[in-house]
Amino acid sequence: MVRFKYLALVALAGLSIACSPRYDYVITNGLIIDGTGSAGYSADIAIKDDKIALIGDLKKARHKEKIDAHGQVVSPGFVNMLSWAATGLFRDGRAMSDIKQGVTLEVFGEGSSLGPRNPSENPDADYLTFGEGMAALEASGVSVNFASFVGATTVRIYTLGYDDIAPDESQLQAMQALVAEAMEEGALGLGTSLIYPPAYFAKTDELIALSKAMAPYGGRYISHMRSEGKDFLNAFDELMTIATEAGVAAEVFHLKAAGAPNWHKLDEVLQKIDSANTAGLDIAANMYTYIAASTGVDACLPPWVQDGGKEKFLERLQDSTIREQLTDEIIDPEADYENFYLAAGKPENIRLTGFDEDSLKHYSGMNLGEIADARNQPLPNAIYDLILDNGGDIGAVFFLMSEENVARQIQLPYMTFGSDAGAVAAEGKELENSRHPRAYGNFARLLGKYVREEKLISLEEAIYRLSYLPAQRLQIQQRGRLMPGNFADIVIFDADEIRDRATFDAPHQYAEGVEYVWVNGQLVLRKGEHTGATPGKFVPGPGYKMNQP
């Protein structure tokens, strides 16, 4: 009898194992576009834990849940090559505006990064080093994966503060050590933003030295160049000089020719990129899919006015003599700085979007000319007083680019895509200000307007440049391609319906067409609705493994 009971228990255990789900999810009947640029094909995908377990005919596979993707595309998650979501994700880790477009990896680091932070200026900080910043963000609970370049501006502020000075030898060595430490902690490379103070104060030799410190770890130099307008060609030459002298690959953040008088210069820059790559360099670029840029309204002002930081900046704006000097430079087409006031062509092409002071938020979405008229102030005096009244800089949208150049850039085989924006939720205080629609629509706009409607590139090519190409460029392993063993960062979307809805007049509108999103095997978006899951992880760069046991 005892033996009979034992055999019965063994049989029941075996039946239980045989009937237990083998996979967490099985996605059936979809058109798989795997991220490599190859043609789509019909197959099923099985997800187990955080990985893709199998691709094939899985109609009879055991699973916890089956998702029928009939009539839809199944693709790798998208990479946002220029994200400003880092600090916002601490407050709201859902990454709503990006998840709803299929983004599963945010890339930070246009000049600034979560670390290193100077302990003397941040005595109560939860994190100080680059690696601690990445760990803190992951621990806070986020829905997307993230990676980051170390910001050259962040390193400069740590060592030199906000002043227009050059580092001495010991300071430069200290800056190089900070870059090397960040690379060992997982930075992708070195990121710069050279039109903004104090980054503007860094000379080329400083940037070469920092890039040399990054080079042994296999990182990439990536830059918002010193000019995208009047001095566009020289700025690109500087990027190539840095790449050549440091022996590193390089990339242009949000490639553009800004300002109508400069639109023709894109031709020569593209020729320079082709020539550099033919000669053996590795030069690439990313972009957003709009004709307007977005930055602070202080981009209208010469950088010297911000020498020394915010307090000195605001003090100078109150000095009548300095204001006269500023006005002379702002309206001078020969002034030696990247002048967004003139690049926009007219005040009506500058919309103010991001105010801190409640008393000014009624201006949000209005153009600079309208606001100056409403305040009965001449330009550019209205700019100075608006910044003073706001207690600091104000977000703005600048219409600078041509649609023809945007379309041309999309067709470049090395072009990837970044929103240059946060990952925000269309709710609460976010609705009190306007913003650039790229936060809500950059990737859906590519797939809807430029792929489906205008047919500039194929759907397979677009997905390749949204997923596998950026993963390869950043040397990120096991992501960006649908294949067994890779992390299950997966998107299901309707290729006939995906579209951006956000506009410059009504930006707070989510994109349409993305139905499901998995991040590290966990379902974050189900039937277009966020599940609340926060499986996002820090994705380290190529130098990380060199410092691990």
Side-chain angles (χ1 to χ4, degrees):
M1 180 64 72
V2 173
R3 184 171 182 274
F4 174 77
K5 288 183 177 179
Y6 172 76
L7 291 174
L9 288 171
V10 170
L12 286 171
L15 180 62
S16 176
I17 292 171
C19 295
S20 64
R22 184 176 180 183
Y23 304 114
D24 297 322
Y25 298 95
V26 171
I27 303 168
T28 63
N29 299 320
L31 176 67
I32 294 178
I33 300 181
D34 66 6
T36 64
S38 300
Y41 62 93
S42 296
D44 310 319
I45 297 180
I47 299 170
K48 179 66 174 178
D49 298 325
D50 61 352
K51 300 286 178 54
I52 297 171
L54 197 63
I55 298 178
D57 185 352
L58 300 168
K59 301 296 188 297
K60 297 181 179 179
R62 300 188 304 277
H63 55 266
K64 294 179 181 177
E65 182 175 355
K66 181 174 72 174
I67 306 294
D68 187 349
H70 178 74
Q72 297 183 308
V73 171
V74 183
S75 81
F78 304 149
V79 178
N80 184 349
M81 281 292 286
L82 175 48
S83 170
W84 283 101
T87 55
L89 287 174
F90 277 111
R91 298 187 297 271
D92 180 356
R94 293 174 297 167
M96 290 290 290
S97 59
D98 274 359
I99 278 289
K100 282 181 167 286
Q101 296 181 80
V103 171
T104 59
L105 175 62
E106 307 276 355
V107 180
F108 315 136
E110 188 198 340
S112 63
S113 51
L114 289 181
R117 305 167 78 193
N118 195 315
S120 64
E121 293 186 3
N122 300 275
D124 300 320
D126 294 330
Y127 59 89
L128 291 172
T129 71
F130 175 91
E132 289 170 352
M134 296 293 98
L137 183 55
E138 182 176 308
S140 72
V142 295
S143 295
V144 285
N145 298 314
F146 57 92
S148 182
F149 291 83
V150 60
T153 310
T154 301
V155 170
R156 188 172 225 276
I157 292 171
Y158 184 106
T159 310
L160 304 175
Y162 295 86
D163 296 340
D164 182 4
I165 58 174
D168 61 28
E169 187 61 31
S170 64
Q171 289 170 327
L172 187 58
Q173 289 176 0
M175 294 167 72
Q176 289 179 305
L178 291 170
V179 170
E181 178 183 59
M183 293 302 297
E184 291 174 353
E185 293 175 335
L188 299 168
L190 181 72
T192 63
S193 52
L194 300 178
I195 74 162
Y196 304 113
Y200 176 86
F201 305 139
K203 301 299 188 288
T204 305
D205 58 353
E206 177 183 323
L207 302 174
I208 291 171
L210 297 186
S211 296
K212 285 182 175 179
M214 171 264 290
Y217 300 95
R220 193 176 197 90
Y221 175 75
I222 190 166
S223 181
H224 180 159
M225 298 187 302
R226 213 173 288 275
S227 173
E228 299 168 326
K230 183 178 67 174
D231 210 26
F232 190 19
L233 303 180
N234 288 332
F236 184 78
D237 287 344
E238 181 187 39
L239 177 133
M240 288 201 299
T241 297
I242 293 166
T244 302
E245 293 295 318
V248 296
E251 180 153 348
V252 180
F253 270 134
H254 47 56
L255 179 67
K256 67 175 77 71
N262 304 305
W263 289 348
H264 69 282
K265 297 176 183 177
L266 181 66
D267 290 343
E268 190 168 344
V269 167
L270 297 185
Q271 291 170 9
K272 286 174 178 283
I273 293 174
D274 289 341
S275 297
N277 288 333
T278 300
L281 290 176
D282 179 359
I283 310 293
N286 56 66
M287 67 178 290
Y288 45 82
T289 54
Y290 296 84
I291 61 169
S294 183
T295 186
V297 73
D298 64 346
C300 296
L301 313 181
W304 61 260
V305 75
Q306 296 191 57
D307 182 6
K310 180 179 175 180
E311 289 186 10
K312 292 183 178 179
F313 173 40
L314 297 179
E315 286 176 9
R316 292 186 182 107
L317 292 185
Q318 297 176 67
D319 185 312
S320 59
T321 302
I322 291 178
R323 286 165 71 119
E324 290 179 8
Q325 182 181 351
L326 283 173
T327 298
D328 288 343
E329 290 194 43
I330 289 170
I331 64 175
D332 180 5
E334 301 304 317
D336 187 23
Y337 75 100
E338 187 81 337
N339 186 337
F340 275 51
Y341 184 81
L342 292 183
K346 54 185 179 179
E348 288 71 26
N349 285 340
I350 304 172
R351 292 193 185 196
L352 302 194
T353 57
F355 294 91
D356 296 321
E357 290 295 320
D358 291 342
S359 61
L360 299 174
K361 287 183 178 179
H362 63 284
Y363 293 134
S364 187
M366 294 173 61
N367 70 58
L368 187 56
E370 292 172 330
I371 297 172
D373 288 344
R375 292 167 63 96
N376 195 28
Q377 285 187 288
L379 288 168
N381 281 346
I383 297 174
Y384 315 146
D385 286 338
L386 283 165
I387 293 173
L388 287 169
D389 291 347
N390 196 54
D393 197 19
I394 301 162
V397 168
F398 298 83
F399 290 85
L400 302 172
M401 288 82 77
S402 75
E403 184 62 45
E404 291 76 13
N405 278 351
V406 169
R408 184 177 180 191
Q409 289 181 191
I410 286 170
Q411 297 175 79
L412 297 170
Y414 51 78
M415 185 63 67
T416 57
F417 300 91
S419 68
D420 197 6
V424 298
E427 58 191 51
K429 291 188 72 64
E430 173 64 25
L431 303 180
E432 294 178 5
N433 275 312
S434 185
R435 67 160 53 241
H436 196 300
R438 65 193 183 188
Y440 292 94
N442 187 64
F443 308 96
R445 184 175 178 83
L446 172 69
L447 296 172
K449 175 179 173 62
Y450 292 110
V451 173
R452 182 181 63 246
E453 297 174 9
E454 299 190 11
K455 296 180 172 52
L456 295 185
I457 56 176
S458 70
L459 182 58
E460 290 84 356
E461 173 71 10
I463 290 173
Y464 164 65
R465 294 207 260 122
L466 286 169
S467 56
Y468 195 42
L469 177 60
Q472 288 180 302
R473 188 173 295 167
L474 299 174
Q475 301 181 66
I476 290 172
Q477 305 301 313
Q478 294 182 281
R479 298 188 192 273
R481 178 182 180 184
L482 297 182
M483 62 178 294
N486 277 6
F487 288 98
D489 300 334
I490 301 174
V491 178
I492 300 177
F493 68 92
D494 189 330
D496 294 327
E497 295 296 331
I498 192 166
R499 71 187 75 246
D500 63 306
R501 296 179 61 241
T503 66
F504 290 100
D505 291 325
H508 298 294
Q509 301 185 79
Y510 293 122
E512 296 178 341
V514 174
E515 293 295 318
Y516 292 86
V517 177
W518 285 262
V519 176
N520 298 319
Q522 293 192 41
L523 195 56
V524 176
L525 199 73
R526 180 194 293 275
K527 296 182 179 180
E529 298 298 323
H530 204 293
T531 67
T534 54
K537 301 291 184 184
F538 169 48
V539 178
Y544 182 75
K545 61 180 179 295
M546 298 172 65
N547 193 43
Q548 303 308 302

